[in-house]
Amino acid sequence: MLLDTYGRVATDLRVSLTDRCNLRCTYCMPEEGLAWLARPDVLTDDEIVRLVRIAVTELGVTDVRFTGGEPLVRPGVTGIVERCAALVPRPRLSLTTNGIGLGRTAAGLRAAGLDRVNVSLDTLRPEVFRTLTRRDRHADVLAGLAAAAAAGLAPVKVNAVLMRGVNDTEAPDLLRWALDEGYELRFIEQMPLDAQHGWQRAGMVTAEEILAALRTRFDLVPEGGTARGSAPAERWVVDGGPGRVGVIASVTRPFCRACDRTRLTADGQVRNCLFAREESDLRGALRAGASDAQLAELWRTAMRGKKAGSGLDDPEFLQPDRPMSAIGG
Ligand code: SAM
Ligand code: SF4
């Protein structure tokens, strides 16, 4: 298994299928995009499936989430999902997407074995969407969400990031809409992972502010009562249920002690944390002919070095060299 020196076991693998994207969300990428990875450096479909197989059969990974960049711009995504769904033991398979490609792919992905999707949508207003993502694709995302629900990729989750002065007044409207549509909404605090290094703590809309805004219109009760012990609540029962809302306080209330994640970038680097400044190269070893056992050992070693926390509160905190889109968010 993937055990670190703090006793945490990673069972949840995030696989970035590409660093490219068809949107330019301001909290993620600059308008002109980024210097994309060179094609030969990106893992092939076969290489991805092999590394996922090693993670699942040798390292105890039970959940695999495909992300990016925008995973649906990778032509082979459905085939990768299908081959991962055929692994024994079969991992739970999910995908984080901006939703634009779902109208075209949702049914095929479901048939291939995808279990769930998270769709990122930060606003209900097309003109705000255009400002935030620098593309006029709001209607495509809504169509993608509907296609995901129709294909049975349930429950469809929606991720929203609020930005001050842009969409921060929309929290209650987003929740009303998600409850009506049957989507499960989660707000995520904006993190210092943008390529432009423009994040500022003071400018960030905090979980506390989001909850206060939601409470102006909804009754929220922490899910599971006190069952989470000292952990801050992340999910709330809305108006007595069955609706829920998530508020992920990645910055103001990080919960690194319970982290169960390991990450694989599109160019085959293992990262033990979103905020790690080191990566471990699996692609080089893989292409040099390493055995499954050798690759598994490199992966174990990479995870053993995981730090206790993200370091966000450390005055010396340095943003990782790669932005979110290249790490795989
Ligand atoms: N392109 C896909 C999407 O947008 O869902 C998958 C990759 S994206 C990097 C994954 C998630 O990270 C999205 O929900 C996005 O909103 C979120 N994200 C990107 N930059 C972020 C930041 N600086 N802080 C918090 N979340 C961020
Ligand atoms: Fe693309 Fe997702 Fe980043 Fe937006 S958040 S630019 S959709 S990778």
Side-chain angles (χ1 to χ4, degrees):
M1 59 185 185
L2 293 171
L3 176 68
D4 68 36
T5 53
Y6 298 90
R8 296 169 296 192
V9 178
T11 54
D12 183 345
L13 168 62
R14 309 272 152 139
V15 182
S16 175
L17 295 183
T18 177
D19 60 332
R20 294 170 193 244
C21 190
N22 44 7
L23 293 182
R24 296 285 183 272
C25 304
T26 52
Y27 51 71
C28 185
M29 278 193 204
E31 178 147 29
E32 63 277 15
L34 297 164
W36 311 124
L37 291 169
R39 300 266 183 205
D41 291 344
V42 174
L43 296 179
T44 65
D45 293 2
D46 286 349
E47 288 170 336
I48 289 174
V49 174
R50 180 174 175 205
L51 291 175
V52 172
R53 176 174 57 72
I54 291 170
V56 167
T57 59
E58 311 224 357
L59 298 170
V61 163
T62 55
D63 293 82
V64 179
R65 171 172 296 275
F66 300 104
T67 180
E70 174 46 42
L72 298 184
V73 304
R74 183 167 175 135
V77 58
T78 306
I80 292 172
V81 167
E82 187 168 26
R83 291 168 68 189
C84 291
L87 294 172
V88 181
R90 183 197 188 286
R92 283 182 287 271
L93 298 172
S94 56
L95 176 106
T96 300
T97 170
N98 62 32
I100 288 173
L102 276 177
R104 171 176 56 81
T105 56
L109 286 166
R110 179 72 190 129
L114 189 71
D115 296 306
R116 286 194 300 101
V117 282
N118 281 46
V119 179
S120 305
L121 180 64
D122 307 317
T123 176
L124 297 174
R125 296 177 288 170
E127 68 282 7
V128 175
F129 185 90
R130 214 165 29 235
T131 306
L132 224 154
T133 68
R134 304 186 180 105
R135 298 288 186 273
D136 196 7
R137 309 296 298 268
H138 193 253
D140 296 318
V141 179
L142 294 183
L145 277 160
L153 289 165
V156 173
K157 294 196 180 174
V158 175
N159 290 355
V161 175
L162 295 182
M163 296 186 73
R164 211 175 288 290
V166 181
N167 62 339
D168 54 338
T169 56
E170 283 195 64
D173 291 345
L174 277 163
L175 180 53
R176 181 72 270 153
W177 163 81
L179 293 169
D180 292 347
E181 297 290 335
Y183 305 144
E184 197 177 307
L185 179 65
R186 304 168 347 136
F187 292 97
I188 303 173
E189 282 179 343
Q190 190 189 349
M191 293 179 272
L193 288 169
D194 57 314
Q196 315 88 296
H197 291 220
W199 180 91
Q200 287 187 325
R201 186 177 284 263
M204 183 191 72
V205 182
T206 64
E208 206 174 316
E209 288 176 80
I210 297 166
L211 286 165
L214 294 177
R215 286 199 159 112
T216 61
R217 226 187 287 170
F218 303 94
D219 176 44
L220 304 183
V221 175
E223 185 176 59
T226 54
R228 286 171 59 91
S230 58
E234 283 198 334
R235 285 176 93 225
W236 308 78
V237 179
V238 184
D239 289 343
R244 302 276 192 281
V245 65
V247 182
I248 316 295
S250 341
V251 178
T252 57
R253 282 177 289 173
F255 204 65
C256 304
R257 270 185 301 163
C259 182
D260 60 0
R261 292 190 190 159
T262 180
R263 295 172 184 274
L264 182 65
T265 64
D267 56 347
Q269 311 297 304
V270 167
R271 296 181 64 97
N272 54 29
C273 173
L274 206 45
F275 293 98
R277 295 190 50 79
E278 299 86 36
E279 302 183 336
S280 303
D281 181 27
L282 288 193
R283 185 193 64 205
L286 186 153
R287 291 186 180 171
S291 65
D292 287 0
Q294 286 168 327
L295 290 168
E297 191 47 34
L298 284 173
W299 206 325
R300 278 190 209 98
T301 305
M303 293 306 294
R304 235 174 266 136
K306 180 165 169 141
K307 297 214 167 95
S310 63
L312 268 173
D313 286 328
D314 187 336
E316 315 274 279
F317 173 75
L318 275 180
Q319 219 177 297
D321 294 331
R322 295 217 222 199
M324 183 81 134
S325 59
I327 295 169

